[in-house]
Amino acid sequence: MTESLKNKTPQQLSIDEFPARSRENVRFSDVDCLGHVNNTVFASFLETGRVNIFWNQEGQFELANSMFVVAHLSLDFIAEITWPGEVEIGTGIVRLGRSSITMYQAIFQQQQCVATAETVVVAMDPETRKSTPLDEKNRHYFNRFILS
């Protein structure tokens, strides 16, 4: 993660600091018996942010003969998400490994950071179920999402 983001508290973060941004509507069915969005839905919002990095204007981004799987997810809850409304998900890449991508993400509602997460996805060969390296074309594509 960049030094500037490392030194910021969630309250100081802005959606504008992320190279990829997504939006999701909060659904009534996302609300639990306590009147706020259930914690499991946060992970679903983060998935939207990650998946949008893998899609481009021409359709789904494809890594030849592979798919991405989540290997690690660390999620910090900062504040409630309420209904009705929408959330914005900021996503950036912190590290490109041999076959893995580490992402830093934040969820915002009404410009307030309500959660942060670090997610590691790994490129996997669907037949062998083993990790597969990212090639130079893929690295070039993902470089546009590196947090600066």
Side-chain angles (χ1 to χ4, degrees), residues 2-14:
T2 65
E3 248 346 277
S4 63
L5 285 181
K6 259 193 224 179
N7 295 327
K8 289 190 175 186
T9 66
Q11 295 77 12
Q12 295 171 317
L13 287 176
S14 164

Side-chain angles (χ1 to χ4, degrees), residues 20-66:
R21 298 171 198 107
S22 307
R23 290 181 182 272
E24 281 278 12
N25 287 320
V26 178
R27 303 168 305 180
F28 179 75
S29 62
D30 296 333
V31 178
D32 63 18
C33 62
L34 299 174
H36 59 246
V37 170
N38 187 282
N39 60 14
T40 61
V41 178
F42 283 64
S44 181
F45 290 148
L46 294 169
E47 178 184 52
T48 295
R50 290 190 309 273
V51 168
N52 283 339
I53 281 184
F54 298 109
W55 287 71
N56 60 29
Q57 301 293 342
E58 294 78 43
Q60 186 174 9
F61 172 78
E62 294 182 21
L63 179 61
N65 302 318
S66 3

Side-chain angles (χ1 to χ4, degrees), residues 3-144:
E3 248 346 277
S4 63
L5 285 181
K6 259 193 224 179
N7 295 327
K8 289 190 175 186
T9 66
Q11 295 77 12
Q12 295 171 317
L13 287 176
S14 164
I15 188 72
D16 298 328
E17 297 177 88
F18 292 87
R21 298 171 198 107
S22 307
R23 290 181 182 272
E24 281 278 12
N25 287 320
V26 178
R27 303 168 305 180
F28 179 75
S29 62
D30 296 333
V31 178
D32 63 18
C33 62
L34 299 174
H36 59 246
V37 170
N38 187 282
N39 60 14
T40 61
V41 178
F42 283 64
S44 181
F45 290 148
L46 294 169
E47 178 184 52
T48 295
R50 290 190 309 273
V51 168
N52 283 339
I53 281 184
F54 298 109
W55 287 71
N56 60 29
Q57 301 293 342
E58 294 78 43
Q60 186 174 9
F61 172 78
E62 294 182 21
L63 179 61
N65 302 318
S66 3
M67 55 199 247
F68 285 95
V69 295
V70 174
H72 173 78
L73 171 63
S74 175
L75 172 56
D76 292 315
F77 299 98
I78 316 280
E80 296 177 309
I81 297 176
T82 57
W83 177 87
E86 71 175 14
V87 294
E88 291 182 279
I89 306 103
T91 304
I93 293 176
V94 177
R95 180 180 173 276
L96 283 175
R98 184 183 79 73
S99 61
S100 66
I101 301 170
T102 303
M103 299 179 186
Y104 181 69
Q105 297 182 275
I107 302 171
F108 298 85
Q109 188 174 46
Q110 298 176 346
Q111 292 83 42
Q112 177 190 4
C113 181
V114 296
T116 59
E118 182 178 275
T119 307
V120 179
V121 295
V122 176
M124 180 182 82
D125 182 302
E127 288 184 30
T128 66
R129 311 305 270 184
K130 304 266 188 217
S131 64
T132 186
L134 299 168
D135 64 22
E136 285 308 310
K137 177 183 172 194
N138 300 132
R139 288 180 175 288
H140 177 73
Y141 174 82
F142 288 121
N143 274 327
R144 73 184 75 186

